[in-house]
């Protein structure tokens, strides 16, 4: 996408209520909220506000997908509604539920009135029919409990709807989303169809844990949000006012980018880079060293195997000649802290030779290990005769059970 393309789209779908006049205005508005967006991202956001289409943001965790929705809500003055997706999520948690407690309460309060309705019914069938005509009273908007999707559609004021981590939800929820994302409406069988008065800005995020349905993607603008360039990430860190000097922040960003090149289970996110910068600032670090980074690496690396890889790589990333001491890393990280494996102590080597010299076959007589004969007698041991009575006593066969 380019800025020229966005300008053409703006002329075709321009709205009187559009919050941004140009792509540059998007960049400036988000930057005022502390969100640094490049032209490609800003162009996509601009199209979102002009074309009334949802935006699907895909990419690794921690690159600013969720934060974009939050900052867009602040920049446009809209309320943020968030649907956090998870495995096994029931569609009622996304759309709406009936307030059964409220329905029951009303039924108890109106018990006398219901009795009057069926008082002169000739039989049970007639009574049920009369009550059935009143069902619409209890299945009306009065007893409807809207969840994020329906709340966004019914809201009289424009909102930003964030459907976060949609890839974690089951495919059944994707099917439910199709009507909402395609027509900005939701059908409630007992009542009818709700259509948005003011179309919400809808952002969906995905960490690519699974492939999304083509029907869902077809209804959305799409953008893959990856880790930023070193220059942009440094700009983001500086904008957060972490307290770390510019020179150290630049070194830190380069270190983090080096860690991301490792085969880690979870690569450090941008927010974790910011946390690491704040951590070093709090500690008063005025020079980055392999040692200080190894002591604080758990801020950005969260799995034990990843920590091991990071500790091995940090000296190379900071200074190829640096050496990390074993302080604070325990014996479980695979840094050669075992005992008796490759130590070059001369005393240990001499002791090993002495023990090897003593380990000679036949050095001890067989009597040493419990055979008859005096200790030191190396002759063959004589077999020992065991009587049947001794055998019975040994296995307790001849013993009487105590009463």
């Amino acid at each position: 996408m380019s800025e020229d393309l966005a300008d053409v789209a703006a002329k075709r779908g321009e709205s009187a209520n559009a919050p941004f006049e140009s792509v540059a205005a998007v960049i400036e508005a988000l930057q005022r909220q502390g969100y640094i967006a490049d032209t490609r991202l800003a162009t996509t956001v601009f199209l979102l506000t002009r074309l009334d289409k949802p935006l699907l943001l895909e990419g690794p965790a921690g690159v600013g997908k969720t934060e974009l929705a939050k900052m867009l809500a602040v920049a446009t003055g809209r309320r943020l509604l968030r649907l956090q997706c998870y495995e096994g999520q029931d569609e009622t948690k996304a759309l709406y539920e009936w307030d059964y407690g409220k329905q029951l309460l009303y039924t108890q309060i109106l018990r006398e009135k219901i009795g009057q309705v069926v008082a002169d019914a000739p039989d049970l069938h007639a009574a049920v029919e009369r009550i059935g005509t009143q069902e619409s009273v209890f299945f009306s908007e009065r007893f409807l409990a809207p969840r994020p999707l329906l709340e966004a559609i019914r809201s009289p004021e424009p909102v930003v709807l964030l459907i976060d981590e949609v890839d974690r939800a089951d495919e059944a929820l994707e099917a439910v989303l199709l009507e909402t994302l395609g027509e900005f409406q939701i059908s409630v069988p007992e009542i009818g169809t709700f259509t948005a008065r003011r179309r919400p800005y809808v952002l969906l995020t995905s960490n690519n844990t699974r492939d999304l349905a083509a029907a869902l993607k077809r209804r959305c603008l799409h953008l893959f949000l990856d880790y930023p360039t070193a220059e942009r990430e440094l700009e983001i860190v500086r904008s957060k006012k972490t307290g770390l000097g510019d020179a150290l922040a630049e070194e830190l960003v380069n270190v983090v980018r080096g860690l991301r090149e490792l085969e880690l289970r979870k690569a450090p996110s941008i927010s974790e880079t910011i946390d690491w910068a704040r951590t070093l600032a709090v500690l008063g670090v005025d020079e980055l060293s392999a040692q200080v980074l190894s002591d604080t690496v758990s801020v950005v690396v969260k799995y034990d195997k990843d920590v091991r890889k990071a500790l091995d790589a940090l000296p190379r990333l900071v200074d190829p000649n640096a050496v990390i001491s074993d302080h604070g890393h325990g014996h479980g990280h695979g840094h050669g802290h075992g005992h008796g494996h490759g130590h070059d102590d001369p005393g240990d080597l001499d002791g090993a030779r002495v023990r090897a010299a003593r380990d000679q076959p036949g050095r001890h007589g067989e009597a040493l290990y419990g055979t008859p004969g005096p200790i030191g007698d190396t002759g063959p041991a004589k077999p020992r005769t065991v009587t049947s009575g001794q055998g019975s006593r040994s296995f307790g066969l001849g013993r009487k059970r105590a009463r």
Side-chain angles (χ1 to χ4, degrees):
M1 274 179 223
S2 65
E3 191 167 352
D4 291 337
L5 176 60
D7 291 336
V8 172
K11 293 177 182 179
R12 293 178 179 176
E14 186 171 1
S15 171
N17 297 318
F20 307 117
E21 296 180 356
S22 64
V23 172
V26 175
I27 296 176
E28 183 180 352
L30 292 177
Q31 190 168 11
R32 285 198 299 266
Q33 308 306 325
Y35 192 96
I36 309 300
D38 58 18
T39 303
R40 181 166 169 264
L41 175 57
T43 300
T44 308
V45 172
F46 181 79
L47 294 175
L48 161 69
T49 63
R50 293 301 182 96
L51 299 180
D52 287 332
K53 289 181 69 69
L55 169 59
L56 173 60
L57 293 168
E58 294 189 286
V63 294
K65 301 186 297 294
T66 301
E67 191 68 13
L68 175 61
K70 295 178 180 179
M71 295 303 102
L72 178 61
V74 175
T76 57
R78 295 188 172 208
R79 183 165 61 106
L80 176 68
L81 294 176
R82 180 171 180 171
L83 173 62
Q84 184 64 51
C85 299
Y86 53 89
E87 186 177 353
Q89 188 173 27
D90 189 343
E91 65 182 46
T92 60
K93 300 298 182 183
L95 291 172
Y96 63 88
E97 292 182 284
W98 290 108
D99 192 339
Y100 296 114
K102 190 175 180 180
Q103 288 173 329
L104 180 60
L105 177 63
Y106 272 61
T107 302
Q108 293 174 343
I109 293 175
L110 299 174
R111 182 181 302 172
E112 181 180 349
K113 193 66 177 178
I114 294 173
Q116 294 175 5
V117 171
V118 299
D120 58 344
D123 52 34
L124 182 61
H125 177 75
V128 171
E129 288 295 326
R130 289 187 183 183
I131 293 176
T133 60
Q134 308 298 322
E135 280 186 356
S136 59
V137 175
F138 291 95
F139 287 94
S140 61
E141 290 190 52
R142 183 189 301 274
F143 300 99
L144 194 63
R147 298 309 177 202
L149 295 183
L150 182 57
E151 189 174 355
I153 295 299
R154 293 178 63 200
S155 175
E157 299 297 329
V159 300
V160 173
L161 174 61
L162 169 62
I163 304 175
D164 209 12
E165 296 184 329
V166 67
D167 54 319
R168 293 186 180 275
D170 297 334
E171 293 181 2
L173 182 60
E174 283 189 51
V176 171
L177 290 174
L178 296 182
E179 180 184 15
T180 305
L181 302 180
E183 289 79 31
F184 288 93
Q185 66 180 31
I186 292 177
S187 298
V188 180
E190 297 85 351
I191 299 177
T193 300
F194 293 94
T195 303
R197 303 176 189 176
R198 299 285 299 277
R199 291 196 171 189
Y201 295 154
V202 183
L203 291 91
L204 302 91
T205 72
S206 168
N207 294 334
N208 288 331
T209 59
R210 68 174 178 86
D211 290 334
L212 300 177
L216 180 67
K217 289 191 172 185
R218 189 171 62 248
R219 286 164 169 79
C220 302
L221 298 172
H222 181 268
L223 180 66
F224 186 86
L225 201 59
D226 205 349
Y227 295 109
T229 63
E231 294 77 12
R232 188 162 299 281
E233 186 165 8
L234 177 59
E235 186 179 358
I236 294 171
V237 173
R238 287 173 176 170
S239 70
K240 298 301 179 181
K241 300 179 180 179
T242 60
L244 194 67
D246 288 350
L248 293 183
E250 183 175 359
E251 291 182 43
L252 183 65
V253 166
N254 290 329
V255 169
V256 171
R257 293 179 66 82
L259 292 177
R260 287 180 188 145
E261 294 177 359
L262 304 176
E263 294 183 0
L264 302 180
R265 178 176 175 183
K266 179 191 174 300
S269 66
I270 301 173
S271 60
E272 287 167 334
T273 304
I274 296 170
D275 290 340
W276 206 1
R278 287 173 175 158
T279 299
L280 297 175
V282 168
L283 294 175
V285 173
D286 54 9
E287 180 182 358
L288 291 192
S289 65
Q291 185 63 58
V292 73
L293 292 181
S294 71
D295 291 340
T296 56
V297 73
S298 58
V299 174
V300 296
V301 182
K302 306 301 173 67
Y303 293 95
D304 184 60
K305 290 184 179 180
D306 288 355
V307 170
R308 298 178 192 179
K309 293 179 181 179
L311 290 175
D312 290 339
L314 280 174
R316 171 177 54 81
L317 296 175
V318 178
D319 179 2
N321 298 319
V323 177
I324 300 179
S325 72
D326 62 357
H327 174 68
H329 300 307
H331 294 274
H333 290 160
H335 299 302
H337 299 306
H339 300 286
H341 300 292
H343 294 289
D344 294 331
D345 185 354
D348 287 344
L349 296 177
D350 291 342
R353 283 193 291 268
V354 171
R355 287 191 295 272
R358 291 177 178 176
D359 191 15
Q360 299 295 330
R363 186 166 61 89
H364 297 293
E366 295 185 20
L368 182 65
Y369 300 101
T371 55
I375 296 177
D377 185 3
T378 58
K382 298 178 180 181
R384 184 178 179 183
T385 304
V386 180
T387 67
S388 60
Q390 290 174 321
S392 299
R393 288 194 298 273
S394 298
F395 290 98
L397 299 177
R399 297 177 185 174
K400 293 184 179 180
R401 182 177 298 176
R403 304 248 178 216

